[in-house]
Amino acid sequence: MTCTYSRCTRPALEGGELCLMHAPEKNMGAFYTALKEQVKSVGDFNFQGYVFPGDFSWRVFDVKELVDADFRETQFKGYAYFGGAQFKGNASFWEAQFEGNVSFNGA
């Protein structure tokens, strides 16, 4: 079964309707491994609708800039840190939800 999130083609988690990236409950280690692979292998910064469990720092990507970063409809469950991030091209946080504090200091 394919994830039911709009335009997502990833497989749904076993017994669920959403994939690892869009499901609200997930294994945090598996999520961050998949996230890093997405950025490292294809330079894809489309995180639309993703649910980030726990605290998040953009530095997890090990890149110097976030190119055309799409965080529309994204949920951040913990602290979200974008301090010092360099956004190149478009960056969208339309309808993103921050359940914890967020920092864009120096971005």
Side-chain angles (χ1 to χ4, degrees):
M1 178 178 187
T2 302
C3 179
T4 58
Y5 186 84
S6 177
R7 296 179 302 279
C8 183
T9 58
R10 289 182 182 85
L13 293 174
E14 188 175 325
E17 295 182 357
L18 297 170
C19 69
L20 176 66
M21 309 317 256
H22 294 109
E25 301 295 324
K26 63 185 83 194
N27 176 294
M28 196 178 319
F31 173 78
Y32 280 109
T33 297
L35 192 64
K36 287 187 237 180
E37 183 61 28
Q38 173 183 328
V39 170
K40 185 178 181 180
S41 67
V42 292
D44 181 3
F45 292 95
N46 180 357
F47 312 114
Q48 184 177 357
Y50 284 18
V51 178
F52 286 79
D55 294 341
F56 167 76
S57 170
W58 74 277
R59 296 181 190 273
V60 73
F61 300 132
D62 196 29
V63 296
K64 294 184 183 197
E65 53 192 18
L66 301 172
V67 180
D68 292 326
D70 187 352
F71 290 95
R72 290 177 293 161
E73 302 174 346
T74 298
Q75 296 177 38
F76 295 91
K77 298 292 189 177
Y79 177 70
Y81 179 75
F82 291 93
Q86 295 181 31
F87 293 95
K88 184 176 180 181
N90 296 317
S92 177
F93 288 85
W94 181 76
E95 291 195 356
Q97 297 176 15
F98 298 92
E99 295 182 16
N101 292 328
V102 61
S103 174
F104 286 94
N105 190 27

